[in-house]
Each structure stands twice: as structure tokens, then as C-alpha cells.
Amino acid sequence: MSITGVNTRNQLRGTVVNIRRGSVVSEVEIETAVGIVSAVVTTSSVDRLPLREGDPALALFKATDVLVARLD
């Protein structure tokens, strides 16, 4: 499968480096140029994609809430 177009600007290309499978949800870690992006997705989605460690992946994200903290 390939993506021919998407309107999300927040995209990070990388490689799946770890998948922690759970019965309902799984954590997927993607190593990108800016660091590791971690996402919690349904395990059925991991199976449907199908995602495996070492696979190229695209992390797409949309933030409705962004928390900001002051650093001293």
C-alpha cells in the first residue's frame, strides 16, 4: 500500500524499531531523524497494516491539545 496524498503537515518518516504488543492496544516506536516517536494504537491496527520491526513507516500526527511547560 502507498499513500498518494495526505493533508497532514506533521509527518515524520522513519523505521519501526519496537512493537510492544498488548491484547487490545500496542505501543509502536518509530525512529525518525528527530528521535523516536511512540504511538499507542489498537493491536488489530498493527495486525492489519501489518507492522513489523524494521519496516519503513510514516508517523502522522494531529494535536488538538499541546501542553507547554517552562524550563528553568
Side-chain angles (χ1 to χ4, degrees), residues 16-28:
V16 176
V17 292
N18 193 22
I19 299 174
R20 289 185 190 91
R21 294 182 62 87
S23 59
V24 178
V25 295
S26 295
E27 181 181 8
V28 178

Side-chain angles (χ1 to χ4, degrees), residues 2-60:
S2 64
I3 297 174
T4 57
V6 67
N7 66 352
T8 302
R9 290 184 186 199
N10 300 324
Q11 304 177 32
L12 297 171
R13 184 176 301 273
T15 302
V16 176
V17 292
N18 193 22
I19 299 174
R20 289 185 190 91
R21 294 182 62 87
S23 59
V24 178
V25 295
S26 295
E27 181 181 8
V28 178
E29 292 181 340
I30 301 172
E31 186 172 11
T32 71
V34 296
I36 292 181
V37 174
S38 179
V40 175
V41 298
T42 62
T43 300
S44 62
S45 292
V46 171
D47 293 338
R48 274 195 311 266
L49 282 174
L51 281 178
R52 302 284 181 264
E53 289 182 18
D55 285 347
L58 186 63
L60 304 149

